Amino acid sequence: MSTVVIIGAQWGDEGKGKIVDFLTEKCDYVVRFQGGCNAGHTVVVGEEKYILHLIPSGILHKNKKCIIGNGVVLDPSGLLKEIETLTQKGIEIDNNLYIAKHCHLIMPYHIAIEEQSEKKKKIGTTKKGIGPCYTDKIARNGVRMIDLLYPDVLKNKIRANLEIINFLLKNLYNAETLDEANILTQYLNYAEKLKKYIADADILINKAIDSGKKVLFEGAQGTLLDIDHGTYPYVTSSNTIAGGACTGAGVSPRKIDNIIGIVKAYTTRVGEGPFPTEIKDSLGEEIRKRGGEYGATTGRPRRCGWLDLVGLRHSVRVNGFTGLAITKLDILDGIEKLKVCVGYKYGNSILEDFPKEIQILEDCMPVYEELQGWKESTAGIKNYEKLPDNAKKYLKFIEDSLKVKIQIISTGQKRDEIIIKESPL
Ligand code: GDP
Ligand code: IMO
Ligand code: MG
């Protein structure tokens, strides 16, 4: 097996970064294919904690090629800060990072317009300019990485876009407008610093696969935040599902061998939007504390809830997972009874499939099955046999319900706090 796609199976923050970091050991390339610095992937190596936003989590290993694919929306200022932070921690970036020529750039006007639109209609975004940048991409007005090397092209694009955005800022939002010359100078400055990373990423990735190299595709966000298959409009603006790896990297579906769904042993969500299994009492607060469930990008408290098999069945279907990684099992240690949502009650009927209408999802009540918890600590366990029986039963229940094998179980933040039942690579 030479290619593996890593996908968040819920609403993001499932622990993708940790799993990608672990699997990178066996890989040659790690590719990000969608999203931007809305992502926050935390990786703990030894005593050091790293939070990756744009750079693939594989960068923490020596001599692994890390690629930011065309499907990503890249904020140059965010990237430069990330490069600086990692460099200060002794991570080598220069010979290992490549950025697709046709990756779209987040511009200051994307952030400015999102700031205003969030006041009118709150999605609870990360305010990183993600939605407005993808809007420009689809409207064919976007500024791409390669445009940084052509000042006239860059200038004309900025001018044309500002004509519209400044009109909106001034007349619709009564907000300050932005200056073309300032933005141009700022981005030409970024060009100087970033040009060494620009590459024909699609060619690089395909050559690597064709020559038998192992390539890992690192998803950001999660399936229920997918622009098409998530809880629209409370979603992010990209295709977070496995298919996004093909469009966002320029790779044929025929070249994807394995797709691993990362499933947190419970559920979390940041931002607005329906969340049927949300726990609103003190247990939710307790799980948030134990799990350190605060946004890695914005610091916002994450909403916590029980595992939701209805959402996960949908996730299995649209991604075609070949295996699962269950993370944060240790956070459930000591909880006497564990609830798992097996269906949604809507009016007088029980829904087994995740509804597409947001107004229906908002009115669904979870139907729970209760499983016995375990008293013992699972923290740091590396051997499946050492897990408490009830933890094994919990995992088996997930596996049987979703009909996908669990290949990896994570039992702590650190790189080696993991059980590998079957390696996907
Ligand atoms: P990502 O966005 O999917 O990469 O996930 P985040 O990094 O935003 O959030 C996951 C958090 O859980 C991070 O702080 C990880 O260090 C942590 N984490 C990952 N796996 C485990 C685990 O098995 N147990 C515990 N206790 N923490 C974990
Ligand atoms: P990782 O990769 C969790 C959520 C935001 C908001 C919605 C839209 O760390 O799992 P956006 O800024 O993308 O337009 O916000 O999506 N969101 C995330 N939630 N983890 C993430 O990334 C997220 N990235 C965006 O909170 O609800
Ligand atoms: Mg995260």
Side-chain angles (χ1 to χ4, degrees), residues 401-412:
S401 310
L402 298 178
K403 300 184 182 67
V404 186
K405 64 193 166 194
I406 295 174
Q407 294 184 288
I408 298 174
I409 301 148
S410 174
T411 55

Side-chain angles (χ1 to χ4, degrees), residues 12-16 38-42 295-297 302:
D13 302 324
E14 297 89 351
K16 298 174 291 292
N38 47 351
H41 298 173
T42 310
T297 298
R302 295 173 182 156

Side-chain angles (χ1 to χ4, degrees), residues 138-278:
I138 301 302
R140 294 161 293 192
N141 296 327
V143 178
R144 310 206 289 184
M145 194 68 196
I146 194 64
D147 297 334
L148 289 181
L149 303 189
Y150 298 89
D152 284 343
V153 174
L154 182 63
K155 185 175 161 183
N156 289 336
K157 285 193 176 186
I158 293 173
R159 176 165 299 171
N161 286 329
L162 274 185
E163 209 177 307
I164 302 165
I165 303 262
N166 275 341
F167 180 85
L168 291 176
L169 285 174
K170 188 170 164 212
N171 299 302
L172 180 64
Y173 296 117
N174 201 15
E176 258 181 59
T177 56
L178 298 169
D179 181 65
E180 177 192 316
N182 275 350
I183 299 178
L184 184 63
T185 311
Q186 195 182 0
Y187 276 65
L188 289 175
N189 186 20
Y190 294 147
E192 276 312 303
K193 294 181 176 149
L194 294 176
K195 65 183 176 195
K196 60 185 166 199
Y197 302 116
I198 301 178
D200 277 310
D202 54 327
I203 298 179
L204 211 62
I205 299 164
N206 279 286
K207 275 192 181 157
I209 297 173
D210 294 346
S211 65
K213 297 269 191 258
K214 292 192 189 294
V215 181
L216 196 65
F217 295 89
E218 176 179 4
Q221 290 82 51
T223 301
L224 301 179
L225 288 172
D226 183 277
I227 185 75
D228 288 291
H229 300 284
T231 48
Y232 191 88
Y234 299 101
V235 291
T236 191
S237 299
S238 63
N239 282 117
T240 59
I241 63 168
C246 296
T247 53
V251 167
S252 163
R254 290 167 58 210
K255 289 189 181 171
I256 304 296
D257 297 317
N258 274 324
I259 304 166
I260 305 299
I262 313 299
V263 178
K264 197 181 280 193
Y266 46 98
T267 313
T268 59
R269 166 160 218 178
V270 203
E272 307 297 308
F275 181 179
T277 65
E278 183 167 12

